[in-house]
Amino acid sequence: MLHQLQDWRINAAHAYSEVDKNTGRSLASRACREDKGLATSANQVATISALNGYLPGAGSSSHESVFKGSAMCLTALALWYLSLGNQLLKIWRLCEAVMNLPSGPDSLELTGDEIKLTKATCMRKGWVVIVTSLRLAILAVLAYAGTLFLVYTIRVQDLLLNCMALGVILAIDEISYGPMTPSTTKLLLANMAPLEIHQR
């Protein structure tokens, strides 16, 4: 985008042929004033308008600056990183709980109305490690891509919306669980006792 604006500024923005015959203003001057009546350079005017809404003006008060792009971007990034931290905590707790189970043949016990997993094979623990490693790799990619996605959003009204969209991506597994999981599997999981995590 920056290179396109530079090319536009060099080749067209100050061209004599683009000077307004009535006011004597150049195309660049009219675009910076967000002149909606320009027959050309509509994209540049839209970009300038978005940047003016994103960056606080010279005379902006501290109250007005809160609702500008930099503050809203930091808010969106904070919400995004909190969501990532929540996912990371879930992954860690799952891995820790499974690793704390005694090793041996898979064993289920019925305690009251709940089914408790008391033992897990080393192979099953290994699969848990593989799956959690894949989840961590996906989480790292999402963290990088999501950060760029938010940082390069220049429209203030789109920042929190994009942050919520990223949150939906993190919740795809939970969203798809209901309609895509067989009823017998959901019934079994609903009756499973929570795995214990030993407090240190």
Side-chain angles (χ1 to χ4, degrees), residues 101-116:
L101 287 172
S103 298
D106 291 334
S107 176
L108 296 175
E109 290 183 0
L110 184 61
T111 56
D113 295 331
E114 293 183 327
I115 302 172
K116 184 177 182 180

Side-chain angles (χ1 to χ4, degrees), residues 87-147:
Q87 290 293 320
L88 186 61
L89 184 61
K90 288 181 179 179
I91 293 173
W92 172 258
R93 285 179 173 173
L94 171 64
C95 192
E96 184 181 12
V98 173
M99 291 302 139
N100 284 335
L101 287 172
S103 298
D106 291 334
S107 176
L108 296 175
E109 290 183 0
L110 184 61
T111 56
D113 295 331
E114 293 183 327
I115 302 172
K116 184 177 182 180
L117 179 64
T118 56
K119 291 183 180 180
T121 62
C122 292
M123 180 178 293
R124 188 174 298 278
K125 291 182 179 181
W127 277 112
V128 170
V129 171
I130 293 173
V131 171
T132 51
S133 298
L134 290 174
R135 289 182 66 183
L136 285 173
I138 294 172
L139 200 64
V141 173
L142 284 175
Y144 176 75
T147 299

Side-chain angles (χ1 to χ4, degrees), residues 1 3-9 12-13 27-28 30-36 38-52 154-155:
M1 179 187 295
H3 294 297
Q4 293 174 350
L5 289 174
Q6 288 176 337
D7 291 340
W8 170 78
R9 185 174 184 272
L27 179 60
R30 288 181 289 157
C32 290
R33 291 173 178 268
E34 302 180 28
D35 187 349
K36 305 299 183 183
L38 289 177
T40 60
S41 305
N43 290 336
Q44 286 76 16
V45 173
T47 301
I48 291 171
S49 177
L51 289 174
N52 287 336
I154 62 173
R155 296 186 181 278

Side-chain angles (χ1 to χ4, degrees), residues 9-96:
R9 185 174 184 272
I10 293 171
N11 298 321
H14 296 288
Y16 180 75
S17 59
E18 299 292 341
V19 174
D20 190 303
K21 301 301 188 294
N22 296 323
T23 62
R25 296 186 182 279
S26 65
L27 179 60
S29 176
R30 288 181 289 157
C32 290
R33 291 173 178 268
E34 302 180 28
D35 187 349
K36 305 299 183 183
L38 289 177
T40 60
S41 305
N43 290 336
Q44 286 76 16
V45 173
T47 301
I48 291 171
S49 177
L51 289 174
N52 287 336
Y54 189 93
L55 300 172
S60 298
S61 64
S62 58
H63 176 72
E64 293 173 339
S65 299
V66 171
F67 299 99
K68 290 295 184 178
S70 55
M72 296 296 286
C73 183
L74 289 174
T75 302
L77 286 173
L79 291 174
W80 172 232
Y81 292 142
L82 285 174
S83 300
L84 291 172
N86 187 38
Q87 290 293 320
L88 186 61
L89 184 61
K90 288 181 179 179
I91 293 173
W92 172 258
R93 285 179 173 173
L94 171 64
C95 192
E96 184 181 12

